[in-house]
Amino acid sequence: MSGENWRQERKTLLATLGPPLFWLTLFFLVPLAVVWAYSFGRNVGLTEIEISGTFANYAQAIQPLYLGIFFKSMLMAAACTVICLIAGFPVALAITFAPDKAKAWLLLAVMLPFWTNLLIRTYALIAVLRNEGYINLTLGWVWKQVGLVLNVPPFVPLEMLHNNPAVLFGLVYVHLPFMVLPLYAALDRLDRSLIEASLDLGAGHFRTMMLVVVPLALPGILSGVLITFIPALGAYLTPDLLGGPDSQMIANVIERQFKRANDWPFGAALSFLLLYLTFVMVAVQALIQRRRGAR
Amino acid sequence: MSSKPPIISIEGVTKRFGDHAAVDDVSLTINEGEFFALLGPSGCGKTTLLRMLAGFETPTEGTIRIDGKDTDGVPPNRRPVNMVFQSYAVFPHMSVADNVAYGLKIDGVAKAERDRRVEEALALVQLEGFGGRMPDQMSGGQRQRVALARALAKRPRVLLLDEPLSALDAKLREAMRFELASLQHKVGITFVMVTHDQDEALALATRCAVMERGRLIQLATPSDLYEFPNSRFVADFIGTVNMVEGTLKTDNPTEAIIATKELGDVYIDHAVLGNEGATLYLALRPEKISLFRRDGVVPPKLEDCPEGYNVVAGVIDHIAYLGSESVFKVILTNGRQMLVIRPNLTRWDQEDFVEEQPVWLSWHACAPAVLAG
């Protein structure tokens, strides 16, 4: 009744849809269109850009140097996603099977870092990982205790910061909630009696996991992968603060074009290549989902 | 009953969740080939007991033996039992044939043998040719058959059924009832069924265990449960009953008289073996009461009672005509309401009585079940 009526009531529709549409258009679509236009322009002077319809920026963007950084960014994001999946699946499972009272607290524990400012979290990681950081302090103390009994060389702090592993560690740390929440949502929906039926029919826990739980949680796994991979691909702050000279990702390059290099058209072209990449991935996921649904 | 050792023996089993005893010191044995029903209202512990047989719950105390072996510490996947879940739990991402083959694949049964047994199991539940279908293309009744076939394909020693008919509509439920019975006959496997539906239990089971609040109240054949309940709870839970409180007045080896406020003195044709003056309960089934018109004043004569006993006067308050039978709500002169069921043996039987009509109610000396508590 009312569910059908609102489609016909144009005024109501306009009143509810209007403001968000207006907001999205003015502050998202229009700026995006401007940047998109820039990607076909060239610098004429310090602040002026002429939209000339050139493809030169894109041609520059697909040079080996930048393609390499694109490729490396994808590799980092993929590694981050795989680690998040491997680490997040057991966490999501544990929350699913936790007693109802504990569930909310466990979910809060997953969400809490997520609600903390990214900059603060990243600096906290630096405090943990740096040469005088908590890990090295602890290791040094243990080393010293060992030195009391055994003859060992002096402690050399582990280099854990400003390199690729540090970036990967940071990316996993930041993006783990993105993976855990969709996984949890998918696993929590799963009918428990399906798991029990599998056990009842003779399968152990591992085979039940592989033959029943994972296939049925696949939509959740797919969306978790996508939701983790996309922001990881565009990560900027993490490689900037935790990475070394060779760990820059595509977002760092884009930032440099807009700021230090002052080459907005090239930065815009790089940005849109990243955006197209994202579109392709979302499309692929939608295709997979639809095929599963159609079956 | 049988000379063979019982397939399942439950010895002093208690299951506690926190302070609450879901199953409280239950002992019973189930024989090979039986169709056994665990019957009781929701929350009586019957499902917990079934889940302990399947291995999804472990007893807090007591021992469960299946096929003579102690099941303590044996996980569900290593027990010679299979379960048909209330929600059927058919794997939605597998075809019907893959569902049925699942347990066999896990057991490492070779493909040719597996295919043969899948076909056999599907034929058993009359789903030949449905192997290629996906579960979401099937009705609820068909999905249940898939769950049955899947469990039976493993050839378990015991098949556990959790409320097998509760999710089906009334017509299908009746049809499935007969099918389950004939299926059990065909495969000869012991069936253990949990149900809250007394009709289901009475129609299917060879023996029923009636449970209440975690305790086993009575273990008997369906007809014994109905005709010889051991408590007010069982008499009330199984079928409908007119329950009347009274005190023991006379108790001889061949007869007893129980004084009641509502039915006067009731004559019983057997000894009660109680203390005189003890409080007793009479459970009188509606169909065991006869109805007579009270147009004349003379009460009907009963050949098995002394005159004046087991006859009371009342007025028909309401008649529910159910086709095969009619249910009469009769208000006695003292205000007590009694239910009477009368079969409509001829096509004009229902015309004999109308609402507001004065009637006599009478019952034989053997009709009431005498209950101590």
Side-chain angles (χ1 to χ4, degrees), chain A residues 191-205 207-216 292-293 295, chain B residues 51 54 56 76-77 79 81-83 85 87 89-94 99 102-103 105-107 134 136 150-151 154:
Chain A
D191 182 358
R192 297 291 162 84
S193 60
L194 292 173
I195 296 171
E196 289 185 344
S198 171
L199 294 172
D200 184 68
L201 290 164
H205 280 96
R207 275 203 279 193
T208 298
M209 189 64 64
M210 299 318 285
L211 295 174
V212 175
V213 178
V214 169
L216 289 175
R292 280 175 58 88
R295 199 190 51 188
Chain B
R51 289 174 60 81
F56 297 128
N77 50 331
R79 295 188 178 205
V81 302
N82 283 108
M83 184 147 162
F85 290 81
S87 63
V90 174
F91 301 127
H93 59 300
M94 297 180 196
N99 261 285
Y102 187 85
K105 230 183 259 181
I106 297 286
D107 288 351
M134 293 305 287
D136 58 5
R150 185 176 67 179
K154 293 254 311 183

Side-chain angles (χ1 to χ4, degrees), chain B residues 216-296:
Chain B
L216 175 63
I217 305 294
Q218 187 172 6
L219 175 58
T221 61
S223 62
D224 278 359
L225 278 185
Y226 188 80
E227 307 292 4
F228 303 99
N230 68 357
S231 60
R232 277 187 291 161
F233 173 77
V234 174
D236 202 38
F237 187 72
I238 309 284
T240 41
V241 73
N242 297 292
M243 193 73 68
V244 180
E245 194 182 325
T247 49
L248 187 55
K249 199 165 150 188
T250 316
D251 193 8
N252 294 327
T254 55
E255 59 177 9
I257 292 170
I258 293 161
T260 72
K261 224 178 273 168
E262 292 160 323
L263 302 181
D265 284 358
V266 176
Y267 180 83
I268 308 286
D269 65 355
H270 57 79
V272 172
L273 304 178
N275 297 322
E276 279 183 23
T279 303
L280 292 172
Y281 299 89
L282 293 173
L284 196 48
R285 297 286 183 195
E287 77 281 1
K288 294 186 170 57
I289 302 177
S290 308
L291 211 54
F292 299 92
R293 299 168 74 116
R294 191 150 60 91
D295 305 321

Side-chain angles (χ1 to χ4, degrees), chain B residues 37-149:
Chain B
L38 292 165
L39 179 62
S42 64
C44 71
K46 57 192 191 298
T47 303
T48 307
L49 193 57
L50 191 79
R51 289 174 60 81
M52 285 196 279
L53 293 178
F56 297 128
E57 311 281 357
T58 45
T60 317
E61 284 162 35
T63 312
I64 294 177
R65 273 179 234 282
I66 299 176
D67 206 9
K69 291 180 206 74
D70 190 346
T71 59
D72 187 35
V74 181
N77 50 331
R78 304 205 184 284
R79 295 188 178 205
V81 302
N82 283 108
M83 184 147 162
V84 175
F85 290 81
Q86 188 174 12
S87 63
Y88 313 146
V90 174
F91 301 127
H93 59 300
M94 297 180 196
S95 70
V96 167
D98 286 344
N99 261 285
V100 178
Y102 187 85
L104 302 175
K105 230 183 259 181
I106 297 286
D107 288 351
V109 176
K111 173 129 177 58
E113 163 78 355
R114 202 163 70 210
D115 289 349
R116 201 182 56 71
R117 275 169 70 175
V118 168
E119 276 309 305
E120 191 185 283
L122 285 177
L124 208 55
V125 296
Q126 289 156 35
L127 281 181
E128 296 109 321
F130 282 84
R133 295 261 196 115
M134 293 305 287
D136 58 5
Q137 298 170 316
M138 307 190 83
S139 69
Q142 288 173 323
R143 277 209 293 276
Q144 176 175 50
R145 287 156 192 263
V146 175
L148 268 169

Side-chain angles (χ1 to χ4, degrees), chain B residues 285-354:
Chain B
R285 297 286 183 195
E287 77 281 1
K288 294 186 170 57
I289 302 177
S290 308
L291 211 54
F292 299 92
R293 299 168 74 116
R294 191 150 60 91
D295 305 321
V297 194
V298 193
K301 276 206 96 153
L302 286 157
E303 64 278 10
D304 61 358
C305 304
E307 204 166 321
Y309 290 98
N310 297 11
V311 177
V312 288
V315 173
I316 295 175
D317 181 52
H318 182 74
I319 303 172
Y321 174 72
L322 301 179
S324 61
E325 62 194 28
S326 294
V327 181
F328 297 81
K329 199 166 102 184
V330 177
I331 306 286
L332 303 185
T333 36
N334 57 28
R336 158 84 196 209
Q337 178 191 307
M338 297 288 282
L339 285 179
V340 179
I341 292 176
R342 193 164 174 273
N344 293 318
L345 296 175
T346 69
R347 284 160 68 192
W348 39 87
D349 257 352
Q350 77 279 5
E351 293 161 16
D352 287 0
F353 296 96
V354 291

Side-chain angles (χ1 to χ4, degrees), chain B residues 146-254:
Chain B
V146 175
L148 268 169
R150 185 176 67 179
L152 288 172
K154 293 254 311 183
R155 295 180 183 157
R157 297 299 307 274
V158 179
L159 185 74
L160 308 174
L161 301 118
D162 187 7
E163 300 271 3
L165 306 178
S166 65
L168 304 176
D169 61 67
K171 262 262 155 63
L172 198 55
R173 200 179 312 161
E174 212 130 296
M176 241 356 239
R177 225 182 253 170
F178 286 111
E179 241 181 81
L180 267 184
S182 80
L183 188 64
Q184 199 253 349
H185 220 76
K186 253 189 273 178
V187 295
I189 293 172
T190 310
F191 279 27
V192 180
M193 168 178 77
V194 152
T195 180
H196 67 276
D197 182 341
Q198 35 130 340
D199 287 346
E200 210 169 293
L202 296 188
L204 282 171
T206 47
R207 281 194 308 154
C208 300
V210 180
M211 292 179 69
E212 189 209 10
R213 278 189 251 142
R215 305 195 71 101
L216 175 63
I217 305 294
Q218 187 172 6
L219 175 58
T221 61
S223 62
D224 278 359
L225 278 185
Y226 188 80
E227 307 292 4
F228 303 99
N230 68 357
S231 60
R232 277 187 291 161
F233 173 77
V234 174
D236 202 38
F237 187 72
I238 309 284
T240 41
V241 73
N242 297 292
M243 193 73 68
V244 180
E245 194 182 325
T247 49
L248 187 55
K249 199 165 150 188
T250 316
D251 193 8
N252 294 327
T254 55

